[in-house]
């Protein structure tokens, strides 16, 4: 996902009422609007947060659905589930330091 100033505005002022004409900051009107620097900083923060969680998204796609996992636990036990299903995915997509 690519974040922009619109996402930043919604993040900073979720209940604010604004109108944005065009794509430039000068087209933004509304009460208590954040500065352009505040919007830029929020865009950077949102993007960094999203990027830092890429490993979580990749893991989510790799794991089997919950029903399959519960069935595996039922038939093989919790430790076997962890070593056969969870650990390989975590090794493939490690959490950044």
């Amino acid at each position: 996902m690519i974040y922009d100033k619109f996402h930043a505005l919604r993040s900073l002022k979720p209940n604010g009422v604004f109108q944005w004409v065009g794509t430039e900051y000068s087209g933004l009107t509304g009460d208590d609007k954040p500065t352009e620097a505040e919007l830029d900083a929020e865009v950077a923060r949102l993007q960094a947060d999203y990027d830092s969680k890429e490993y979580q998204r990749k893991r989510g796609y790799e794991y089997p659905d919950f029903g399959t996992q519960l069935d595996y636990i039922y038939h093989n036990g919790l430790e076997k589930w962890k070593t056969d299903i969870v650990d390989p995915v975590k090794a493939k997509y490690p959490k950044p330091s």
Side-chain angles (χ1 to χ4, degrees), residues 2-61:
I2 304 297
Y3 286 94
D4 59 18
K5 289 181 181 179
F6 178 78
H7 292 101
L9 181 62
R10 286 287 140 226
S11 175
L12 290 171
K13 307 286 183 174
N15 298 319
V17 178
F18 302 97
Q19 182 176 5
W20 207 319
V21 178
T23 59
E24 300 300 319
Y25 179 77
S26 60
L28 176 62
T29 58
D31 295 335
D32 193 30
K33 72 178 185 178
T35 66
E36 189 169 15
E38 289 172 327
L39 286 177
D40 290 340
E42 185 65 3
V43 167
R45 187 195 70 77
L46 289 170
Q47 192 65 53
D49 182 58
Y50 178 82
D51 293 346
S52 73
K53 295 177 181 164
E54 181 179 12
Y55 78 98
Q56 292 175 343
R57 292 185 298 279
K58 287 181 177 180
R59 284 180 182 180
Y61 296 129

